[in-house]
mmCIF file of all heavy atoms in Angstrom:
data_model
loop_
_atom_site.group_PDB
_atom_site.id
_atom_site.type_symbol
_atom_site.label_atom_id
_atom_site.label_comp_id
_atom_site.label_asym_id
_atom_site.label_seq_id
_atom_site.Cartn_x
_atom_site.Cartn_y
_atom_site.Cartn_z
ATOM 1 N N LEU A 1 -13.222 -8.548 -2.609
ATOM 2 C CA LEU A 1 -13.073 -9.988 -2.656
ATOM 3 C C LEU A 1 -13.858 -10.622 -1.508
ATOM 4 O O LEU A 1 -13.575 -10.337 -0.339
ATOM 5 C CB LEU A 1 -11.598 -10.379 -2.546
ATOM 6 C CG LEU A 1 -10.664 -9.827 -3.629
ATOM 7 C CD1 LEU A 1 -9.229 -10.204 -3.328
ATOM 8 C CD2 LEU A 1 -11.091 -10.345 -4.996
ATOM 9 N N PRO A 2 -14.836 -11.452 -1.796
ATOM 10 C CA PRO A 2 -15.621 -12.089 -0.726
ATOM 11 C C PRO A 2 -14.712 -12.824 0.262
ATOM 12 O O PRO A 2 -13.806 -13.558 -0.136
ATOM 13 C CB PRO A 2 -16.512 -13.083 -1.488
ATOM 14 C CG PRO A 2 -16.630 -12.505 -2.868
ATOM 15 C CD PRO A 2 -15.293 -11.868 -3.143
ATOM 16 N N GLY A 3 -14.950 -12.577 1.550
ATOM 17 C CA GLY A 3 -14.171 -13.230 2.588
ATOM 18 C C GLY A 3 -12.901 -12.501 2.971
ATOM 19 O O GLY A 3 -12.368 -12.707 4.058
ATOM 20 N N TYR A 4 -12.404 -11.639 2.069
ATOM 21 C CA TYR A 4 -11.175 -10.901 2.353
ATOM 22 C C TYR A 4 -11.459 -9.716 3.262
ATOM 23 O O TYR A 4 -10.609 -9.287 4.031
ATOM 24 C CB TYR A 4 -10.545 -10.446 1.034
ATOM 25 C CG TYR A 4 -9.042 -10.327 1.072
ATOM 26 C CD1 TYR A 4 -8.248 -11.401 1.447
ATOM 27 C CD2 TYR A 4 -8.417 -9.136 0.719
ATOM 28 C CE1 TYR A 4 -6.872 -11.298 1.477
ATOM 29 C CE2 TYR A 4 -7.038 -9.018 0.740
ATOM 30 C CZ TYR A 4 -6.272 -10.095 1.117
ATOM 31 O OH TYR A 4 -4.910 -9.979 1.141
ATOM 32 N N ASP A 5 -12.626 -9.147 3.101
ATOM 33 C CA ASP A 5 -13.193 -8.159 4.008
ATOM 34 C C ASP A 5 -12.220 -7.041 4.409
ATOM 35 O O ASP A 5 -11.699 -6.339 3.565
ATOM 36 C CB ASP A 5 -13.783 -8.866 5.229
ATOM 37 C CG ASP A 5 -15.019 -9.682 4.863
ATOM 38 O OD1 ASP A 5 -15.284 -9.826 3.661
ATOM 39 O OD2 ASP A 5 -15.715 -10.177 5.767
ATOM 40 N N TRP A 6 -11.946 -6.896 5.712
ATOM 41 C CA TRP A 6 -11.143 -5.756 6.161
ATOM 42 C C TRP A 6 -9.707 -5.821 5.672
ATOM 43 O O TRP A 6 -9.050 -4.783 5.547
ATOM 44 C CB TRP A 6 -11.193 -5.649 7.691
ATOM 45 C CG TRP A 6 -12.475 -5.016 8.133
ATOM 46 C CD1 TRP A 6 -13.619 -5.651 8.518
ATOM 47 C CD2 TRP A 6 -12.760 -3.623 8.163
ATOM 48 N NE1 TRP A 6 -14.598 -4.740 8.785
ATOM 49 C CE2 TRP A 6 -14.106 -3.492 8.590
ATOM 50 C CE3 TRP A 6 -12.016 -2.483 7.895
ATOM 51 C CZ2 TRP A 6 -14.719 -2.240 8.737
ATOM 52 C CZ3 TRP A 6 -12.624 -1.238 8.042
ATOM 53 C CH2 TRP A 6 -13.951 -1.125 8.458
ATOM 54 N N MET A 7 -9.210 -7.019 5.352
ATOM 55 C CA MET A 7 -7.865 -7.089 4.796
ATOM 56 C C MET A 7 -7.810 -6.352 3.463
ATOM 57 O O MET A 7 -6.801 -5.716 3.132
ATOM 58 C CB MET A 7 -7.418 -8.544 4.627
ATOM 59 C CG MET A 7 -5.970 -8.685 4.148
ATOM 60 S SD MET A 7 -4.755 -7.927 5.267
ATOM 61 C CE MET A 7 -4.773 -9.149 6.591
ATOM 62 N N GLY A 8 -8.891 -6.410 2.697
ATOM 63 C CA GLY A 8 -8.949 -5.640 1.464
ATOM 64 C C GLY A 8 -8.880 -4.149 1.725
ATOM 65 O O GLY A 8 -8.234 -3.402 0.979
ATOM 66 N N VAL A 9 -9.525 -3.715 2.803
ATOM 67 C CA VAL A 9 -9.458 -2.304 3.187
ATOM 68 C C VAL A 9 -8.031 -1.929 3.584
ATOM 69 O O VAL A 9 -7.511 -0.873 3.190
ATOM 70 C CB VAL A 9 -10.428 -2.021 4.350
ATOM 71 C CG1 VAL A 9 -10.303 -0.580 4.825
ATOM 72 C CG2 VAL A 9 -11.866 -2.318 3.927
ATOM 73 N N TYR A 10 -7.392 -2.809 4.344
ATOM 74 C CA TYR A 10 -6.021 -2.523 4.777
ATOM 75 C C TYR A 10 -5.078 -2.416 3.585
ATOM 76 O O TYR A 10 -4.193 -1.557 3.546
ATOM 77 C CB TYR A 10 -5.507 -3.621 5.720
ATOM 78 C CG TYR A 10 -6.360 -3.876 6.928
ATOM 79 C CD1 TYR A 10 -6.436 -5.157 7.487
ATOM 80 C CD2 TYR A 10 -7.107 -2.862 7.518
ATOM 81 C CE1 TYR A 10 -7.213 -5.407 8.604
ATOM 82 C CE2 TYR A 10 -7.892 -3.108 8.629
ATOM 83 C CZ TYR A 10 -7.947 -4.385 9.164
ATOM 84 O OH TYR A 10 -8.726 -4.635 10.255
ATOM 85 N N LYS A 11 -5.239 -3.303 2.607
ATOM 86 C CA LYS A 11 -4.359 -3.278 1.443
ATOM 87 C C LYS A 11 -4.595 -2.018 0.604
ATOM 88 O O LYS A 11 -3.648 -1.455 0.043
ATOM 89 C CB LYS A 11 -4.570 -4.528 0.590
ATOM 90 C CG LYS A 11 -4.108 -5.823 1.256
ATOM 91 C CD LYS A 11 -2.626 -5.801 1.582
ATOM 92 C CE LYS A 11 -2.132 -7.161 2.076
ATOM 93 N NZ LYS A 11 -0.689 -7.142 2.427
ATOM 94 N N THR A 12 -5.842 -1.575 0.523
ATOM 95 C CA THR A 12 -6.121 -0.320 -0.174
ATOM 96 C C THR A 12 -5.448 0.841 0.546
ATOM 97 O O THR A 12 -4.853 1.728 -0.085
ATOM 98 C CB THR A 12 -7.635 -0.086 -0.256
ATOM 99 O OG1 THR A 12 -8.249 -1.190 -0.939
ATOM 100 C CG2 THR A 12 -7.949 1.192 -1.015
ATOM 101 N N ALA A 13 -5.533 0.843 1.874
ATOM 102 C CA ALA A 13 -4.868 1.881 2.660
ATOM 103 C C ALA A 13 -3.351 1.799 2.494
ATOM 104 O O ALA A 13 -2.670 2.828 2.409
ATOM 105 C CB ALA A 13 -5.241 1.731 4.137
ATOM 106 N N LEU A 14 -2.833 0.580 2.435
ATOM 107 C CA LEU A 14 -1.390 0.393 2.260
ATOM 108 C C LEU A 14 -0.916 1.058 0.971
ATOM 109 O O LEU A 14 0.150 1.694 0.947
ATOM 110 C CB LEU A 14 -1.068 -1.096 2.230
ATOM 111 C CG LEU A 14 0.414 -1.476 2.174
ATOM 112 C CD1 LEU A 14 1.069 -1.260 3.537
ATOM 113 C CD2 LEU A 14 0.586 -2.937 1.748
ATOM 114 N N GLU A 15 -1.694 0.948 -0.093
ATOM 115 C CA GLU A 15 -1.309 1.548 -1.366
ATOM 116 C C GLU A 15 -1.269 3.069 -1.262
ATOM 117 O O GLU A 15 -0.368 3.721 -1.806
ATOM 118 C CB GLU A 15 -2.266 1.094 -2.464
ATOM 119 C CG GLU A 15 -2.143 -0.392 -2.768
ATOM 120 C CD GLU A 15 -3.068 -0.853 -3.874
ATOM 121 O OE1 GLU A 15 -3.603 0.013 -4.614
ATOM 122 O OE2 GLU A 15 -3.256 -2.075 -4.012
ATOM 123 N N SER A 16 -2.226 3.647 -0.562
ATOM 124 C CA SER A 16 -2.225 5.095 -0.379
ATOM 125 C C SER A 16 -1.046 5.541 0.475
ATOM 126 O O SER A 16 -0.380 6.540 0.177
ATOM 127 C CB SER A 16 -3.539 5.537 0.272
ATOM 128 O OG SER A 16 -3.604 6.950 0.371
ATOM 129 N N ILE A 17 -0.768 4.789 1.533
ATOM 130 C CA ILE A 17 0.387 5.108 2.389
ATOM 131 C C ILE A 17 1.676 5.043 1.589
ATOM 132 O O ILE A 17 2.550 5.913 1.732
ATOM 133 C CB ILE A 17 0.429 4.144 3.588
ATOM 134 C CG1 ILE A 17 -0.725 4.449 4.547
ATOM 135 C CG2 ILE A 17 1.768 4.242 4.326
ATOM 136 C CD1 ILE A 17 -0.934 3.408 5.625
ATOM 137 N N ALA A 18 1.807 4.046 0.725
ATOM 138 C CA ALA A 18 3.010 3.933 -0.100
ATOM 139 C C ALA A 18 3.166 5.143 -1.016
ATOM 140 O O ALA A 18 4.293 5.634 -1.232
ATOM 141 C CB ALA A 18 2.954 2.651 -0.928
ATOM 142 N N GLN A 19 2.069 5.646 -1.556
ATOM 143 C CA GLN A 19 2.142 6.822 -2.422
ATOM 144 C C GLN A 19 2.613 8.053 -1.650
ATOM 145 O O GLN A 19 3.447 8.827 -2.140
ATOM 146 C CB GLN A 19 0.781 7.089 -3.063
ATOM 147 C CG GLN A 19 0.387 6.046 -4.103
ATOM 148 C CD GLN A 19 -0.994 6.297 -4.659
ATOM 149 O OE1 GLN A 19 -1.882 6.808 -3.964
ATOM 150 N NE2 GLN A 19 -1.199 5.942 -5.914
ATOM 151 N N TYR A 20 2.087 8.229 -0.458
ATOM 152 C CA TYR A 20 2.508 9.386 0.337
ATOM 153 C C TYR A 20 3.952 9.250 0.814
ATOM 154 O O TYR A 20 4.699 10.235 0.883
ATOM 155 C CB TYR A 20 1.557 9.603 1.513
ATOM 156 C CG TYR A 20 0.321 10.375 1.110
ATOM 157 C CD1 TYR A 20 -0.851 9.722 0.776
ATOM 158 C CD2 TYR A 20 0.350 11.768 1.024
ATOM 159 C CE1 TYR A 20 -1.976 10.422 0.376
ATOM 160 C CE2 TYR A 20 -0.768 12.484 0.635
ATOM 161 C CZ TYR A 20 -1.933 11.813 0.307
ATOM 162 O OH TYR A 20 -3.046 12.505 -0.100
ATOM 163 N N LEU A 21 4.361 8.035 1.132
ATOM 164 C CA LEU A 21 5.766 7.823 1.480
ATOM 165 C C LEU A 21 6.664 8.135 0.285
ATOM 166 O O LEU A 21 7.736 8.736 0.439
ATOM 167 C CB LEU A 21 5.981 6.381 1.938
ATOM 168 C CG LEU A 21 5.425 6.018 3.317
ATOM 169 C CD1 LEU A 21 5.525 4.520 3.549
ATOM 170 C CD2 LEU A 21 6.153 6.781 4.416
ATOM 171 N N ALA A 22 6.230 7.730 -0.907
ATOM 172 C CA ALA A 22 7.001 8.037 -2.114
ATOM 173 C C ALA A 22 7.140 9.545 -2.277
ATOM 174 O O ALA A 22 8.213 10.054 -2.659
ATOM 175 C CB ALA A 22 6.316 7.425 -3.338
ATOM 176 N N LEU A 23 6.073 10.275 -1.981
ATOM 177 C CA LEU A 23 6.103 11.734 -2.089
ATOM 178 C C LEU A 23 7.097 12.360 -1.128
ATOM 179 O O LEU A 23 7.921 13.201 -1.510
ATOM 180 C CB LEU A 23 4.691 12.277 -1.815
ATOM 181 C CG LEU A 23 4.567 13.805 -1.681
ATOM 182 C CD1 LEU A 23 4.865 14.473 -3.018
ATOM 183 C CD2 LEU A 23 3.164 14.170 -1.186
ATOM 184 N N TYR A 24 7.059 11.934 0.120
ATOM 185 C CA TYR A 24 7.861 12.597 1.153
ATOM 186 C C TYR A 24 9.283 12.058 1.272
ATOM 187 O O TYR A 24 10.171 12.765 1.759
ATOM 188 C CB TYR A 24 7.146 12.499 2.502
ATOM 189 C CG TYR A 24 5.920 13.382 2.565
ATOM 190 C CD1 TYR A 24 4.641 12.829 2.628
ATOM 191 C CD2 TYR A 24 6.031 14.770 2.534
ATOM 192 C CE1 TYR A 24 3.514 13.631 2.663
ATOM 193 C CE2 TYR A 24 4.912 15.583 2.572
ATOM 194 C CZ TYR A 24 3.656 15.016 2.640
ATOM 195 O OH TYR A 24 2.552 15.815 2.665
ATOM 196 N N LEU A 25 9.511 10.810 0.840
ATOM 197 C CA LEU A 25 10.867 10.253 0.936
ATOM 198 C C LEU A 25 11.641 10.383 -0.369
ATOM 199 O O LEU A 25 12.858 10.224 -0.377
ATOM 200 C CB LEU A 25 10.789 8.770 1.341
ATOM 201 C CG LEU A 25 10.225 8.476 2.730
ATOM 202 C CD1 LEU A 25 10.234 6.974 2.998
ATOM 203 C CD2 LEU A 25 11.009 9.212 3.809
ATOM 204 N N GLY A 26 10.947 10.650 -1.455
ATOM 205 C CA GLY A 26 11.613 10.788 -2.746
ATOM 206 C C GLY A 26 12.758 11.797 -2.751
ATOM 207 O O GLY A 26 13.833 11.507 -3.292
ATOM 208 N N PRO A 27 12.581 12.989 -2.169
ATOM 209 C CA PRO A 27 13.676 13.972 -2.174
ATOM 210 C C PRO A 27 14.959 13.476 -1.509
ATOM 211 O O PRO A 27 16.043 13.976 -1.809
ATOM 212 C CB PRO A 27 13.071 15.158 -1.410
ATOM 213 C CG PRO A 27 11.597 15.054 -1.676
ATOM 214 C CD PRO A 27 11.321 13.569 -1.664
ATOM 215 N N SER A 28 14.855 12.487 -0.601
ATOM 216 C CA SER A 28 16.050 11.936 0.038
ATOM 217 C C SER A 28 16.591 10.727 -0.717
ATOM 218 O O SER A 28 17.549 10.090 -0.269
ATOM 219 C CB SER A 28 15.743 11.546 1.489
ATOM 220 O OG SER A 28 14.775 10.515 1.541
ATOM 221 N N GLY A 29 15.964 10.404 -1.865
ATOM 222 C CA GLY A 29 16.453 9.310 -2.693
ATOM 223 C C GLY A 29 15.872 7.953 -2.359
ATOM 224 O O GLY A 29 16.286 6.945 -2.933
ATOM 225 N N VAL A 30 14.903 7.915 -1.440
ATOM 226 C CA VAL A 30 14.291 6.650 -1.043
ATOM 227 C C VAL A 30 12.998 6.442 -1.842
ATOM 228 O O VAL A 30 12.141 7.326 -1.882
ATOM 229 C CB VAL A 30 13.977 6.627 0.464
ATOM 230 C CG1 VAL A 30 13.291 5.320 0.849
ATOM 231 C CG2 VAL A 30 15.259 6.819 1.272
ATOM 232 N N ARG A 31 12.871 5.295 -2.483
ATOM 233 C CA ARG A 31 11.684 4.995 -3.278
ATOM 234 C C ARG A 31 10.834 3.940 -2.570
ATOM 235 O O ARG A 31 11.359 3.086 -1.853
ATOM 236 C CB ARG A 31 12.080 4.528 -4.670
ATOM 237 C CG ARG A 31 12.995 3.323 -4.704
ATOM 238 C CD ARG A 31 13.560 3.091 -6.108
ATOM 239 N NE ARG A 31 14.347 1.873 -6.183
ATOM 240 C CZ ARG A 31 15.642 1.799 -5.894
ATOM 241 N NH1 ARG A 31 16.299 2.901 -5.527
ATOM 242 N NH2 ARG A 31 16.288 0.651 -5.988
ATOM 243 N N VAL A 32 9.532 3.996 -2.831
ATOM 244 C CA VAL A 32 8.582 3.116 -2.153
ATOM 245 C C VAL A 32 7.600 2.569 -3.185
ATOM 246 O O VAL A 32 6.912 3.331 -3.859
ATOM 247 C CB VAL A 32 7.803 3.864 -1.050
ATOM 248 C CG1 VAL A 32 6.899 2.886 -0.277
ATOM 249 C CG2 VAL A 32 8.751 4.589 -0.110
ATOM 250 N N ASN A 33 7.538 1.265 -3.296
ATOM 251 C CA ASN A 33 6.659 0.601 -4.260
ATOM 252 C C ASN A 33 6.052 -0.648 -3.642
ATOM 253 O O ASN A 33 6.537 -1.156 -2.626
ATOM 254 C CB ASN A 33 7.440 0.206 -5.520
ATOM 255 C CG ASN A 33 8.003 1.407 -6.251
ATOM 256 O OD1 ASN A 33 7.278 2.143 -6.913
ATOM 257 N ND2 ASN A 33 9.322 1.609 -6.132
ATOM 258 N N LEU A 34 5.001 -1.152 -4.283
ATOM 259 C CA LEU A 34 4.334 -2.369 -3.823
ATOM 260 C C LEU A 34 4.252 -3.392 -4.945
ATOM 261 O O LEU A 34 4.227 -3.030 -6.125
ATOM 262 C CB LEU A 34 2.918 -2.055 -3.342
ATOM 263 C CG LEU A 34 2.756 -1.039 -2.217
ATOM 264 C CD1 LEU A 34 1.273 -0.841 -1.915
ATOM 265 C CD2 LEU A 34 3.490 -1.465 -0.957
ATOM 266 N N VAL A 35 4.188 -4.647 -4.560
ATOM 267 C CA VAL A 35 3.922 -5.745 -5.492
ATOM 268 C C VAL A 35 2.551 -6.315 -5.154
ATOM 269 O O VAL A 35 2.292 -6.707 -4.012
ATOM 270 C CB VAL A 35 4.987 -6.853 -5.393
ATOM 271 C CG1 VAL A 35 4.561 -8.071 -6.217
ATOM 272 C CG2 VAL A 35 6.331 -6.337 -5.869
ATOM 273 N N ALA A 36 1.669 -6.340 -6.148
ATOM 274 C CA ALA A 36 0.354 -6.960 -5.985
ATOM 275 C C ALA A 36 0.456 -8.408 -6.438
ATOM 276 O O ALA A 36 0.542 -8.689 -7.633
ATOM 277 C CB ALA A 36 -0.695 -6.208 -6.796
ATOM 278 N N ALA A 37 0.459 -9.301 -5.485
ATOM 279 C CA ALA A 37 0.698 -10.712 -5.780
ATOM 280 C C ALA A 37 -0.598 -11.475 -5.989
ATOM 281 O O ALA A 37 -1.630 -11.181 -5.368
ATOM 282 C CB ALA A 37 1.478 -11.351 -4.634
ATOM 283 N N GLY A 38 -0.540 -12.456 -6.862
ATOM 284 C CA GLY A 38 -1.636 -13.411 -6.964
ATOM 285 C C GLY A 38 -1.650 -14.297 -5.732
ATOM 286 O O GLY A 38 -0.725 -14.268 -4.908
ATOM 287 N N PRO A 39 -2.682 -15.103 -5.552
ATOM 288 C CA PRO A 39 -2.810 -15.930 -4.344
ATOM 289 C C PRO A 39 -1.740 -17.011 -4.263
ATOM 290 O O PRO A 39 -1.544 -17.788 -5.196
ATOM 291 C CB PRO A 39 -4.212 -16.555 -4.492
ATOM 292 C CG PRO A 39 -4.506 -16.499 -5.959
ATOM 293 C CD PRO A 39 -3.827 -15.280 -6.476
ATOM 294 N N VAL A 40 -1.020 -17.022 -3.143
ATOM 295 C CA VAL A 40 0.043 -17.993 -2.896
ATOM 296 C C VAL A 40 -0.236 -18.681 -1.568
ATOM 297 O O VAL A 40 -0.610 -18.030 -0.577
ATOM 298 C CB VAL A 40 1.428 -17.307 -2.853
ATOM 299 C CG1 VAL A 40 2.521 -18.314 -2.510
ATOM 300 C CG2 VAL A 40 1.727 -16.629 -4.188
#
């Protein structure tokens, strides 16, 4: 997204982190998900 720049990189990283958290916290019953919001 033009102008979003490094924030776009951070959000992509956030999605990967959420997946790994889901992997490692799932056995303890903790779930991890994200909401991709439109511009507010």
Side-chain angles (χ1 to χ4, degrees):
L1 301 176
Y4 210 56
D5 291 9
W6 281 95
M7 184 59 74
V9 176
Y10 304 149
K11 292 300 188 181
T12 302
L14 185 75
E15 293 181 15
S16 184
I17 290 169
Q19 290 177 328
Y20 277 96
L21 287 172
L23 171 67
Y24 289 112
L25 295 181
S28 63
V30 178
R31 57 191 185 273
V32 185
N33 298 285
L34 302 178
V35 171
V40 177

